[in-house]
Amino acid sequence: MQKCEICGGREFRQEEVDDVFRVGSRYVLVEHIPATVCVQCGERSFDAATAESLRKRLNEGEQRSARKVELEVFAY
Ligand SMILES: [Zn+2]
């Protein structure tokens, strides 16, 4: 049985999420990534195949981008 690494929760739902990844000096927003999301705290995890596919896509560079969006950056 899967357990959340953050809160120890055991309930998850499958969701498509958007996430921002840093590639060198660029940030890339990836939409509609299939993820397992903790119902309790919202922690997302990607399975190994998804993580590998993400890594490949990110390394292919910006010519594959669907579009560009502006991103506001805040330091915490
Ligand atoms: Zn959790």
Side-chain angles (χ1 to χ4, degrees), residues 4 6-9 38 40-43:
C4 175
I6 306 299
C7 73
C38 175
Q40 205 161 283
C41 75
E43 171 69 8

Side-chain angles (χ1 to χ4, degrees), residues 56-68:
K56 274 192 194 150
R57 280 164 200 235
L58 290 170
N59 288 334
E60 278 174 23
E62 60 188 327
Q63 65 275 12
R64 289 281 308 271
S65 302
R67 66 183 191 279
K68 289 202 173 196

Side-chain angles (χ1 to χ4, degrees), residues 29-66:
L29 172 69
V30 184
E31 296 178 305
H32 312 304
I33 314 164
T36 301
V37 180
C38 175
V39 169
Q40 205 161 283
C41 75
E43 171 69 8
R44 302 155 165 191
S45 56
F46 305 120
D47 66 29
T50 303
E52 174 62 15
S53 160
L54 270 171
R55 195 187 59 75
K56 274 192 194 150
R57 280 164 200 235
L58 290 170
N59 288 334
E60 278 174 23
E62 60 188 327
Q63 65 275 12
R64 289 281 308 271
S65 302

